[in-house]
């Protein structure tokens, strides 16, 4: 029965508590104090009730109602004061709790997001996006549950249980034992029923996840579903998942629903037992030991004025024990969510030990360089003196000689030497790749799908780090270059375009945030995108959403090219950038790209061989190895793989 029961993850729990204390070093202790005050105020009235009943008993015997009123009234006033204090404490702590909880969640979301931004691409390749997403939704919600409900309720109930236990023990050991027997029964029952409920609640959560995942997949895959006439099949699959969800939710709720009434009735049973056993003890004048006997120095008998508040205390005690049992369950569930959040926060961020930076430079007529803070359009690598600069690096002479740094001209000379790479250790993807691209050259990669073309560009960007070999940029090992600066110097048009919610103009400006509207338009003209953009209903102000669903695939790529163009980088990487453009548009883009490529080092990956024909070198890849290289004419002469591809392609066209 206990198999499905979760345990409290104390590591995560203490981390949550520590974080809470760190974030709110004053408010959290204040809240705890208010909770303790509230719970003690809730327990104390029993003592006053007993005293008031005793006074009433005296009055009943003496008939002196005026004297009785004098002693009773102040007690009633004090009792009222306690209730008011309890009310104030509750108001204060609930308000504080709301503020602390929401502030804490806000902070956790912020930390999740900033950690996510620093994770390497590999993390996103190897983890389901829905799973990452659920840390922000489900798991954050379980944290909310923990901080705003489970923990305070646990504390509140815990203090009440301890305080009431002492008060009960003070008055009567026998009666306390009767209550304890009842509590034992309650723990037994709620353990059995609660365990079953928790197990099915967990299954219900999993079912919800499966149903959501299925719906999501069906929405994005509607076209494929319709084309293959899978509607009925999908409905059956959905019915099955939905039925599973029904089963688990039904059982979880059935257990949970029966728990309340059963426990309430055990509570009633205790109530009756106390009335009967207590009544008997009073009538039979059985000696009644309790903590009070210690103070009095003798064991008295049970009196009726103790009995009445005892009934109330028994109810309070069992009710709060029940609360404690339930909160243990919800704390266990919540800490599981907290653990998943901490897992993401503890992921190792993308490491960056690069110390070479990219700086703005002024190069005067004598060829001397000065580093300046403002944008000049000229860039230089600022290389610490202990970093080796290899032969391709053009060292610039500095006007004011600085012994700690050398300056190297940013030219876009890229060399790969004996590069090996694997995404997963056991499955090598690239073998022995050596190539160079001199500044201004155009290097094309061709080869079958899965040959490793995109992978090479992933390495240039340092989305992934190489296993073996060297990659040098202007004579500097790219591992020594700070990643953000390396990426700033590379323009990238990815195989799958990503457009963000915003206007066309915003999306182009993404390449260079301080670009003016005119610069963005100019970039669009260069990319050949201006023509179709101006024909959109709102032109450059057209709002794109859902990754540009309202555009054609080719149009999306043109915007992506314009985005890369506006950054004006010395090196461009175009991955299949023209694959989904029609022949006419292709010519426009081709012209634009030729302009774009002018004076830059360019890596192009294209299946259309016509787009790579004019490259300085064409590299043919097969299964991660370079099998041929040369210019278009040279490769045709070789009559090898390229020749096959080229002539084959022509036959197709
Ligand atoms: N993130 C990844 N994790 C693990 N393996 C990967 C990953 N990305 C690609 N691969 C594998 O690496 C190999 C090369 O993939 P790559 O994307 O470089 O091919 P490509 O030449 O660009 O193909 P295409 O022409 O289809 O774009 C493939 O076998 C692929 O399965
Ligand atoms: Mg690819």
């Amino acid at each position: 029965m206990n198999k499905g029961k979760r345990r409290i993850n104390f590591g995560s729990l203490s981390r949550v508590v520590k974080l809470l204390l760190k974030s709110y070093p004053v408010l959290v202790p204040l809240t705890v104090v208010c909770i303790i005050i509230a719970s003690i105020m809730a327990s104390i009235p029993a003592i006053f009730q007993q005293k008031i009943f005793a006074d009433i008993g005296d009055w009943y015997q003496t008939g002196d109602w005026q004297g009785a009123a004098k002693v009773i009234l102040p007690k009633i006033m004090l009792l009222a004061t306690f209730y008011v204090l309890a009310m104030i404490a509750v108001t204060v702590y609930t308000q504080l709790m709301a503020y602390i909880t929401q502030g804490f969640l806000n902070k956790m979301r912020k930390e999740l997001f900033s950690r996510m931004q620093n994770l390497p691409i590999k993390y996103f390749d190897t983890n389901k996006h829905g799973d990452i997403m659920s840390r922000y939704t489900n798991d954050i919600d379980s944290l909310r549950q923990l901080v705003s409900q489970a923990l305070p309720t646990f504390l509140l109930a815990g203090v009440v249980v301890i305080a009431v236990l002492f008060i009960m023990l003070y008055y009567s050991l026998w009666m306390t034992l009767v209550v304890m027997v009842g509590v034992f029964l309650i723990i037994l029952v709620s353990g059995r029923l609660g365990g079953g409920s928790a197990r099915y609640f967990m299954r219900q959560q999993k079912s919800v996840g499966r149903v959501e995942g299925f719906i999501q997949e069906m929405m994005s895959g509607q076209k494929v579903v319709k084309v293959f006439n899978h509607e009925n099949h999908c409905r059956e699959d959905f019915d099955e998942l939905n039925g599973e969800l029904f089963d688990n939710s039904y059982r979880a709720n059935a257990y949970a629903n029966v728990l309340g009434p059963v426990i309430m009735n055990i509570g009633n049973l205790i109530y009756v037992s106390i009335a009967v056993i207590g009544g008997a003890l009073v009538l039979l004048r059985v000696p009644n030991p309790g903590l009070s006997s210690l103070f009095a120095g003798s064991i008295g008998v049970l009196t009726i004025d103790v009995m009445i508040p005892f009934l109330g205390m028994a109810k309070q005690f069992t009710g709060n024990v029940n609360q404690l049992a339930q909160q243990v369950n919800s704390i266990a569930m919540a800490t599981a969510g907290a653990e998943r959040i901490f897992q993401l926060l503890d992921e190792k961020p993308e490491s960056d030990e690069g110390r070479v930076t990219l700086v703005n430079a002024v190069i005067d007529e004598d060829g001397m360089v000065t580093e300046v803070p403002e944008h000049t359009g000229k860039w230089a690598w600022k290389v610490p003196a202990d970093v080796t600069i290899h032969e391709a690096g053009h060292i610039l002479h500095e006007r004011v000689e600085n012994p700690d740094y050398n300056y190297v001209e940013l030219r876009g000379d890229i060399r790969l030497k004996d590069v090996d790479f694997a995404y997963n250790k056991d499955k090598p993807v690239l073998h022995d790749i050596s190539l160079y691209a001199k500044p201004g050259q155009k290097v094309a990669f061709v080869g079958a799908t899965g040959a490793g073309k995109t992978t090479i560009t992933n390495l240039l960007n340092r989305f992934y780090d190489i296993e073996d070999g060297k990659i040098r940029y202007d004579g500097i090992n790219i591992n020594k270059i700070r990643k953000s600066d390396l990426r700033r110097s590379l323009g990238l048009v990815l195989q799958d375009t990503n457009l963000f919610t915003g206007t066309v103009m915003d999306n182009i400006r993404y390449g260079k945030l301080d670009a003016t509207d005119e610069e963005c338009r100019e970039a669009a003209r260069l990319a050949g995108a201006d023509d179709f953009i101006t024909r959109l209903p709102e032109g450059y102000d057209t709002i794109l959403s859902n990754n540009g669903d309202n555009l054609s695939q080719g149009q999306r790529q043109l915007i992506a090219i314009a985005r890369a163009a506006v950054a004006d980088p010395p090196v461009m990487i175009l991955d299949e950038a023209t694959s989904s453009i029609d022949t006419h548009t292709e010519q426009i883009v081709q012209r634009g790209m030729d302009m774009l490529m002018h004076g830059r080092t360019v890596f192009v990956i294209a299946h259309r061989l016509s787009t790579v024909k004019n490259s300085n070198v064409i590299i043919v890849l097969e299964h991660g190895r370079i099998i041929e290289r040369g210019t278009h004419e040279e490769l045709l002469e070789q009559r090898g793989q390229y020749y096959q591809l080229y002539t084959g392609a022509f036959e197709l066209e």
Side-chain angles (χ1 to χ4, degrees), residues 193-211 239-257 333:
L193 292 181
S197 159
R199 186 159 45 128
Y200 283 108
F201 263 116
M202 259 150 50
R203 290 193 192 170
Q204 178 192 336
Q205 285 306 90
K206 277 201 189 122
S207 294
V208 169
R210 273 200 286 265
V211 167
D239 286 349
E240 192 174 316
L241 289 175
N242 197 24
E244 206 176 275
L245 173 59
F246 163 78
D247 247 26
N248 292 327
S249 328
Y250 159 67
R251 279 170 216 263
N253 285 290
Y255 272 114
N257 290 351
M333 284 191 204

mmCIF file of all heavy atoms in Angstrom, residues 193-211 239-257 333:
data_model
loop_
_atom_site.group_PDB
_atom_site.id
_atom_site.type_symbol
_atom_site.label_atom_id
_atom_site.label_comp_id
_atom_site.label_asym_id
_atom_site.label_seq_id
_atom_site.Cartn_x
_atom_site.Cartn_y
_atom_site.Cartn_z
ATOM 1 N N LEU A 193 -5.916 5.167 3.861
ATOM 2 C CA LEU A 193 -6.702 5.811 2.796
ATOM 3 C C LEU A 193 -5.880 6.895 2.101
ATOM 4 O O LEU A 193 -5.890 7.013 0.877
ATOM 5 C CB LEU A 193 -7.974 6.432 3.374
ATOM 6 C CG LEU A 193 -9.019 5.441 3.887
ATOM 7 C CD1 LEU A 193 -10.233 6.191 4.398
ATOM 8 C CD2 LEU A 193 -9.435 4.473 2.792
ATOM 9 N N GLY A 194 -5.140 7.667 2.889
ATOM 10 C CA GLY A 194 -4.341 8.766 2.327
ATOM 11 C C GLY A 194 -3.271 8.234 1.399
ATOM 12 O O GLY A 194 -2.987 8.817 0.350
ATOM 13 N N GLY A 195 -2.670 7.091 1.766
ATOM 14 C CA GLY A 195 -1.632 6.497 0.912
ATOM 15 C C GLY A 195 -2.211 6.146 -0.442
ATOM 16 O O GLY A 195 -1.636 6.450 -1.485
ATOM 17 N N GLY A 196 -3.406 5.520 -0.426
ATOM 18 C CA GLY A 196 -4.055 5.137 -1.687
ATOM 19 C C GLY A 196 -4.370 6.368 -2.503
ATOM 20 O O GLY A 196 -4.132 6.427 -3.718
ATOM 21 N N SER A 197 -4.854 7.400 -1.831
ATOM 22 C CA SER A 197 -5.214 8.626 -2.529
ATOM 23 C C SER A 197 -3.976 9.257 -3.157
ATOM 24 O O SER A 197 -3.986 9.644 -4.331
ATOM 25 C CB SER A 197 -5.876 9.559 -1.530
ATOM 26 O OG SER A 197 -5.820 10.860 -1.969
ATOM 27 N N ALA A 198 -2.868 9.304 -2.385
ATOM 28 C CA ALA A 198 -1.649 9.929 -2.903
ATOM 29 C C ALA A 198 -1.148 9.180 -4.126
ATOM 30 O O ALA A 198 -0.718 9.773 -5.116
ATOM 31 C CB ALA A 198 -0.572 9.954 -1.831
ATOM 32 N N ARG A 199 -1.234 7.835 -4.051
ATOM 33 C CA ARG A 199 -0.733 7.040 -5.169
ATOM 34 C C ARG A 199 -1.509 7.360 -6.442
ATOM 35 O O ARG A 199 -0.939 7.579 -7.500
ATOM 36 C CB ARG A 199 -0.886 5.564 -4.821
ATOM 37 C CG ARG A 199 -0.279 4.643 -5.836
ATOM 38 C CD ARG A 199 -0.016 3.312 -5.205
ATOM 39 N NE ARG A 199 -1.188 2.898 -4.419
ATOM 40 C CZ ARG A 199 -1.773 1.713 -4.553
ATOM 41 N NH1 ARG A 199 -1.301 0.856 -5.406
ATOM 42 N NH2 ARG A 199 -2.815 1.385 -3.810
ATOM 43 N N TYR A 200 -2.849 7.429 -6.304
ATOM 44 C CA TYR A 200 -3.634 7.700 -7.509
ATOM 45 C C TYR A 200 -3.532 9.155 -7.937
ATOM 46 O O TYR A 200 -3.651 9.457 -9.117
ATOM 47 C CB TYR A 200 -5.087 7.257 -7.309
ATOM 48 C CG TYR A 200 -5.216 5.762 -7.419
ATOM 49 C CD1 TYR A 200 -5.458 4.970 -6.301
ATOM 50 C CD2 TYR A 200 -5.048 5.130 -8.652
ATOM 51 C CE1 TYR A 200 -5.544 3.599 -6.401
ATOM 52 C CE2 TYR A 200 -5.122 3.764 -8.760
ATOM 53 C CZ TYR A 200 -5.373 2.990 -7.635
ATOM 54 O OH TYR A 200 -5.438 1.637 -7.747
ATOM 55 N N PHE A 201 -3.286 10.055 -6.997
ATOM 56 C CA PHE A 201 -3.089 11.447 -7.390
ATOM 57 C C PHE A 201 -1.842 11.575 -8.252
ATOM 58 O O PHE A 201 -1.821 12.301 -9.235
ATOM 59 C CB PHE A 201 -2.978 12.373 -6.173
ATOM 60 C CG PHE A 201 -4.282 13.033 -5.832
ATOM 61 C CD1 PHE A 201 -4.917 12.782 -4.634
ATOM 62 C CD2 PHE A 201 -4.883 13.886 -6.740
ATOM 63 C CE1 PHE A 201 -6.134 13.372 -4.338
ATOM 64 C CE2 PHE A 201 -6.092 14.484 -6.457
ATOM 65 C CZ PHE A 201 -6.726 14.219 -5.239
ATOM 66 N N MET A 202 -0.817 10.803 -7.871
ATOM 67 C CA MET A 202 0.401 10.849 -8.668
ATOM 68 C C MET A 202 0.152 10.303 -10.067
ATOM 69 O O MET A 202 0.597 10.862 -11.062
ATOM 70 C CB MET A 202 1.498 10.041 -7.990
ATOM 71 C CG MET A 202 2.480 10.930 -7.264
ATOM 72 S SD MET A 202 3.185 10.114 -5.854
ATOM 73 C CE MET A 202 3.707 8.580 -6.536
ATOM 74 N N ARG A 203 -0.610 9.203 -10.124
ATOM 75 C CA ARG A 203 -0.932 8.652 -11.450
ATOM 76 C C ARG A 203 -1.779 9.633 -12.241
ATOM 77 O O ARG A 203 -1.634 9.761 -13.445
ATOM 78 C CB ARG A 203 -1.697 7.335 -11.284
ATOM 79 C CG ARG A 203 -0.823 6.247 -10.747
ATOM 80 C CD ARG A 203 -1.510 4.924 -10.901
ATOM 81 N NE ARG A 203 -0.819 3.905 -10.136
ATOM 82 C CZ ARG A 203 -1.293 2.704 -9.926
ATOM 83 N NH1 ARG A 203 -2.477 2.360 -10.423
ATOM 84 N NH2 ARG A 203 -0.609 1.828 -9.242
ATOM 85 N N GLN A 204 -2.664 10.332 -11.522
ATOM 86 C CA GLN A 204 -3.509 11.310 -12.202
ATOM 87 C C GLN A 204 -2.639 12.400 -12.822
ATOM 88 O O GLN A 204 -2.845 12.787 -13.980
ATOM 89 C CB GLN A 204 -4.476 11.918 -11.189
ATOM 90 C CG GLN A 204 -5.371 12.997 -11.767
ATOM 91 C CD GLN A 204 -6.103 13.760 -10.668
ATOM 92 O OE1 GLN A 204 -6.308 13.250 -9.575
ATOM 93 N NE2 GLN A 204 -6.501 14.969 -10.967
ATOM 94 N N GLN A 205 -1.628 12.890 -12.062
ATOM 95 C CA GLN A 205 -0.739 13.917 -12.583
ATOM 96 C C GLN A 205 -0.065 13.443 -13.862
ATOM 97 O O GLN A 205 0.015 14.166 -14.847
ATOM 98 C CB GLN A 205 0.354 14.260 -11.562
ATOM 99 C CG GLN A 205 -0.115 15.100 -10.411
ATOM 100 C CD GLN A 205 -0.790 16.364 -10.862
ATOM 101 O OE1 GLN A 205 -2.010 16.387 -11.074
ATOM 102 N NE2 GLN A 205 -0.029 17.413 -11.040
ATOM 103 N N LYS A 206 0.418 12.195 -13.833
ATOM 104 C CA LYS A 206 1.087 11.662 -15.014
ATOM 105 C C LYS A 206 0.131 11.573 -16.183
ATOM 106 O O LYS A 206 0.474 11.906 -17.312
ATOM 107 C CB LYS A 206 1.660 10.273 -14.699
ATOM 108 C CG LYS A 206 2.986 10.359 -14.011
ATOM 109 C CD LYS A 206 3.768 9.054 -14.165
ATOM 110 C CE LYS A 206 4.990 9.095 -13.279
ATOM 111 N NZ LYS A 206 5.055 8.003 -12.314
ATOM 112 N N SER A 207 -1.109 11.134 -15.909
ATOM 113 C CA SER A 207 -2.100 11.033 -16.980
ATOM 114 C C SER A 207 -2.386 12.399 -17.578
ATOM 115 O O SER A 207 -2.518 12.537 -18.793
ATOM 116 C CB SER A 207 -3.409 10.438 -16.454
ATOM 117 O OG SER A 207 -3.214 9.113 -16.072
ATOM 118 N N VAL A 208 -2.494 13.404 -16.719
ATOM 119 C CA VAL A 208 -2.749 14.760 -17.219
ATOM 120 C C VAL A 208 -1.630 15.152 -18.183
ATOM 121 O O VAL A 208 -1.882 15.663 -19.277
ATOM 122 C CB VAL A 208 -2.828 15.781 -16.056
ATOM 123 C CG1 VAL A 208 -2.814 17.194 -16.584
ATOM 124 C CG2 VAL A 208 -4.078 15.539 -15.231
ATOM 125 N N GLY A 209 -0.391 14.877 -17.782
ATOM 126 C CA GLY A 209 0.750 15.189 -18.638
ATOM 127 C C GLY A 209 0.653 14.502 -19.988
ATOM 128 O O GLY A 209 0.885 15.106 -21.032
ATOM 129 N N ARG A 210 0.263 13.216 -19.960
ATOM 130 C CA ARG A 210 0.173 12.470 -21.220
ATOM 131 C C ARG A 210 -0.918 13.038 -22.124
ATOM 132 O O ARG A 210 -0.723 13.198 -23.321
ATOM 133 C CB ARG A 210 -0.096 10.997 -20.922
ATOM 134 C CG ARG A 210 1.177 10.198 -20.695
ATOM 135 C CD ARG A 210 0.920 8.722 -20.902
ATOM 136 N NE ARG A 210 0.168 8.175 -19.788
ATOM 137 C CZ ARG A 210 0.729 7.566 -18.740
ATOM 138 N NH1 ARG A 210 2.020 7.410 -18.701
ATOM 139 N NH2 ARG A 210 0.000 7.100 -17.754
ATOM 140 N N VAL A 211 -2.068 13.344 -21.514
ATOM 141 C CA VAL A 211 -3.173 13.892 -22.312
ATOM 142 C C VAL A 211 -2.755 15.226 -22.930
ATOM 143 O O VAL A 211 -2.945 15.464 -24.130
ATOM 144 C CB VAL A 211 -4.444 14.053 -21.446
ATOM 145 C CG1 VAL A 211 -5.484 14.896 -22.166
ATOM 146 C CG2 VAL A 211 -5.018 12.694 -21.111
ATOM 147 N N ASP A 239 -9.064 8.575 -26.652
ATOM 148 C CA ASP A 239 -10.035 7.976 -25.730
ATOM 149 C C ASP A 239 -9.330 7.105 -24.706
ATOM 150 O O ASP A 239 -9.691 7.083 -23.528
ATOM 151 C CB ASP A 239 -11.061 7.144 -26.508
ATOM 152 C CG ASP A 239 -12.044 8.040 -27.241
ATOM 153 O OD1 ASP A 239 -12.026 9.261 -26.955
ATOM 154 O OD2 ASP A 239 -12.799 7.548 -28.097
ATOM 155 N N GLU A 240 -8.319 6.401 -25.174
ATOM 156 C CA GLU A 240 -7.610 5.513 -24.254
ATOM 157 C C GLU A 240 -6.910 6.321 -23.152
ATOM 158 O O GLU A 240 -7.060 6.030 -21.962
ATOM 159 C CB GLU A 240 -6.581 4.699 -25.041
ATOM 160 C CG GLU A 240 -6.010 3.557 -24.246
ATOM 161 C CD GLU A 240 -5.112 2.696 -25.122
ATOM 162 O OE1 GLU A 240 -5.508 2.396 -26.276
ATOM 163 O OE2 GLU A 240 -4.020 2.364 -24.668
ATOM 164 N N LEU A 241 -6.194 7.379 -23.572
ATOM 165 C CA LEU A 241 -5.498 8.213 -22.592
ATOM 166 C C LEU A 241 -6.485 8.880 -21.647
ATOM 167 O O LEU A 241 -6.278 8.956 -20.440
ATOM 168 C CB LEU A 241 -4.678 9.294 -23.310
ATOM 169 C CG LEU A 241 -3.445 8.804 -24.045
ATOM 170 C CD1 LEU A 241 -2.803 9.950 -24.801
ATOM 171 C CD2 LEU A 241 -2.451 8.216 -23.060
ATOM 172 N N ASN A 242 -7.595 9.340 -22.237
ATOM 173 C CA ASN A 242 -8.600 10.033 -21.454
ATOM 174 C C ASN A 242 -9.238 9.085 -20.451
ATOM 175 O O ASN A 242 -9.509 9.450 -19.304
ATOM 176 C CB ASN A 242 -9.656 10.613 -22.413
ATOM 177 C CG ASN A 242 -10.499 11.671 -21.757
ATOM 178 O OD1 ASN A 242 -10.057 12.287 -20.787
ATOM 179 N ND2 ASN A 242 -11.706 11.862 -22.249
ATOM 180 N N GLY A 243 -9.453 7.822 -20.874
ATOM 181 C CA GLY A 243 -10.027 6.817 -19.984
ATOM 182 C C GLY A 243 -9.104 6.543 -18.812
ATOM 183 O O GLY A 243 -9.544 6.427 -17.665
ATOM 184 N N GLU A 244 -7.813 6.493 -19.115
ATOM 185 C CA GLU A 244 -6.821 6.274 -18.068
ATOM 186 C C GLU A 244 -6.866 7.416 -17.047
ATOM 187 O O GLU A 244 -6.830 7.187 -15.838
ATOM 188 C CB GLU A 244 -5.459 6.259 -18.749
ATOM 189 C CG GLU A 244 -4.378 5.495 -18.058
ATOM 190 C CD GLU A 244 -3.143 5.518 -18.943
ATOM 191 O OE1 GLU A 244 -3.024 4.676 -19.858
ATOM 192 O OE2 GLU A 244 -2.329 6.421 -18.735
ATOM 193 N N LEU A 245 -6.984 8.630 -17.589
ATOM 194 C CA LEU A 245 -7.066 9.802 -16.716
ATOM 195 C C LEU A 245 -8.299 9.711 -15.824
ATOM 196 O O LEU A 245 -8.251 9.964 -14.623
ATOM 197 C CB LEU A 245 -7.109 11.077 -17.567
ATOM 198 C CG LEU A 245 -7.366 12.384 -16.824
ATOM 199 C CD1 LEU A 245 -6.301 12.637 -15.778
ATOM 200 C CD2 LEU A 245 -7.398 13.559 -17.798
ATOM 201 N N PHE A 246 -9.428 9.294 -16.433
ATOM 202 C CA PHE A 246 -10.666 9.158 -15.670
ATOM 203 C C PHE A 246 -10.464 8.167 -14.529
ATOM 204 O O PHE A 246 -10.792 8.434 -13.377
ATOM 205 C CB PHE A 246 -11.798 8.681 -16.581
ATOM 206 C CG PHE A 246 -12.975 8.132 -15.828
ATOM 207 C CD1 PHE A 246 -13.883 8.994 -15.222
ATOM 208 C CD2 PHE A 246 -13.149 6.762 -15.688
ATOM 209 C CE1 PHE A 246 -14.951 8.484 -14.493
ATOM 210 C CE2 PHE A 246 -14.215 6.257 -14.959
ATOM 211 C CZ PHE A 246 -15.121 7.120 -14.360
ATOM 212 N N ASP A 247 -9.913 7.008 -14.865
ATOM 213 C CA ASP A 247 -9.702 5.947 -13.882
ATOM 214 C C ASP A 247 -8.911 6.437 -12.686
ATOM 215 O O ASP A 247 -9.319 6.275 -11.541
ATOM 216 C CB ASP A 247 -8.877 4.838 -14.554
ATOM 217 C CG ASP A 247 -9.692 3.582 -14.703
ATOM 218 O OD1 ASP A 247 -10.938 3.711 -14.767
ATOM 219 O OD2 ASP A 247 -9.082 2.502 -14.747
ATOM 220 N N ASN A 248 -7.763 7.056 -13.001
ATOM 221 C CA ASN A 248 -6.882 7.483 -11.918
ATOM 222 C C ASN A 248 -7.482 8.617 -11.102
ATOM 223 O O ASN A 248 -7.380 8.619 -9.876
ATOM 224 C CB ASN A 248 -5.515 7.896 -12.471
ATOM 225 C CG ASN A 248 -4.766 6.706 -13.019
ATOM 226 O OD1 ASN A 248 -4.909 5.600 -12.502
ATOM 227 N ND2 ASN A 248 -3.996 6.909 -14.066
ATOM 228 N N SER A 249 -8.135 9.575 -11.783
ATOM 229 C CA SER A 249 -8.708 10.696 -11.034
ATOM 230 C C SER A 249 -9.865 10.192 -10.185
ATOM 231 O O SER A 249 -10.041 10.620 -9.051
ATOM 232 C CB SER A 249 -9.244 11.794 -11.943
ATOM 233 O OG SER A 249 -8.505 11.884 -13.091
ATOM 234 N N TYR A 250 -10.646 9.270 -10.761
ATOM 235 C CA TYR A 250 -11.797 8.757 -10.022
ATOM 236 C C TYR A 250 -11.321 8.096 -8.727
ATOM 237 O O TYR A 250 -11.811 8.383 -7.645
ATOM 238 C CB TYR A 250 -12.575 7.774 -10.887
ATOM 239 C CG TYR A 250 -13.444 6.843 -10.097
ATOM 240 C CD1 TYR A 250 -14.544 7.352 -9.397
ATOM 241 C CD2 TYR A 250 -13.154 5.493 -10.004
ATOM 242 C CE1 TYR A 250 -15.333 6.517 -8.630
ATOM 243 C CE2 TYR A 250 -13.930 4.660 -9.248
ATOM 244 C CZ TYR A 250 -15.019 5.164 -8.549
ATOM 245 O OH TYR A 250 -15.777 4.351 -7.782
ATOM 246 N N ARG A 251 -10.314 7.219 -8.860
ATOM 247 C CA ARG A 251 -9.840 6.513 -7.664
ATOM 248 C C ARG A 251 -9.227 7.466 -6.651
ATOM 249 O O ARG A 251 -9.465 7.347 -5.450
ATOM 250 C CB ARG A 251 -8.805 5.461 -8.049
ATOM 251 C CG ARG A 251 -9.453 4.199 -8.556
ATOM 252 C CD ARG A 251 -8.407 3.289 -9.153
ATOM 253 N NE ARG A 251 -8.966 2.607 -10.302
ATOM 254 C CZ ARG A 251 -9.471 1.384 -10.229
ATOM 255 N NH1 ARG A 251 -9.467 0.733 -9.112
ATOM 256 N NH2 ARG A 251 -9.975 0.821 -11.308
ATOM 257 N N ALA A 252 -8.421 8.414 -7.167
ATOM 258 C CA ALA A 252 -7.772 9.362 -6.259
ATOM 259 C C ALA A 252 -8.833 10.107 -5.453
ATOM 260 O O ALA A 252 -8.740 10.249 -4.242
ATOM 261 C CB ALA A 252 -6.919 10.344 -7.042
ATOM 262 N N ASN A 253 -9.891 10.559 -6.156
ATOM 263 C CA ASN A 253 -10.906 11.340 -5.473
ATOM 264 C C ASN A 253 -11.789 10.477 -4.587
ATOM 265 O O ASN A 253 -12.253 10.922 -3.548
ATOM 266 C CB ASN A 253 -11.743 12.115 -6.485
ATOM 267 C CG ASN A 253 -10.956 13.293 -7.016
ATOM 268 O OD1 ASN A 253 -10.717 14.236 -6.293
ATOM 269 N ND2 ASN A 253 -10.496 13.211 -8.249
ATOM 270 N N ALA A 254 -12.021 9.225 -5.024
ATOM 271 C CA ALA A 254 -12.834 8.337 -4.203
ATOM 272 C C ALA A 254 -12.167 8.139 -2.851
ATOM 273 O O ALA A 254 -12.796 8.270 -1.803
ATOM 274 C CB ALA A 254 -13.014 6.996 -4.911
ATOM 275 N N TYR A 255 -10.859 7.864 -2.870
ATOM 276 C CA TYR A 255 -10.128 7.703 -1.611
ATOM 277 C C TYR A 255 -10.184 8.985 -0.797
ATOM 278 O O TYR A 255 -10.432 8.966 0.399
ATOM 279 C CB TYR A 255 -8.660 7.369 -1.898
ATOM 280 C CG TYR A 255 -8.392 5.899 -2.056
ATOM 281 C CD1 TYR A 255 -7.990 5.364 -3.270
ATOM 282 C CD2 TYR A 255 -8.501 5.040 -0.956
ATOM 283 C CE1 TYR A 255 -7.714 4.017 -3.405
ATOM 284 C CE2 TYR A 255 -8.228 3.688 -1.090
ATOM 285 C CZ TYR A 255 -7.839 3.178 -2.312
ATOM 286 O OH TYR A 255 -7.569 1.859 -2.430
ATOM 287 N N ALA A 256 -9.904 10.110 -1.497
ATOM 288 C CA ALA A 256 -9.815 11.382 -0.786
ATOM 289 C C ALA A 256 -11.173 11.751 -0.192
ATOM 290 O O ALA A 256 -11.257 12.243 0.925
ATOM 291 C CB ALA A 256 -9.324 12.474 -1.721
ATOM 292 N N ASN A 257 -12.259 11.481 -0.950
ATOM 293 C CA ASN A 257 -13.573 11.892 -0.488
ATOM 294 C C ASN A 257 -14.027 11.102 0.723
ATOM 295 O O ASN A 257 -14.735 11.616 1.575
ATOM 296 C CB ASN A 257 -14.603 11.735 -1.605
ATOM 297 C CG ASN A 257 -14.372 12.742 -2.700
ATOM 298 O OD1 ASN A 257 -13.556 13.652 -2.528
ATOM 299 N ND2 ASN A 257 -15.067 12.587 -3.811
ATOM 300 N N MET A 333 4.615 15.771 -1.831
ATOM 301 C CA MET A 333 4.370 16.007 -3.261
ATOM 302 C C MET A 333 5.059 17.283 -3.720
ATOM 303 O O MET A 333 5.642 17.341 -4.795
ATOM 304 C CB MET A 333 2.879 16.124 -3.518
ATOM 305 C CG MET A 333 2.186 14.792 -3.491
ATOM 306 S SD MET A 333 0.528 15.015 -4.132
ATOM 307 C CE MET A 333 -0.300 13.652 -3.379
#
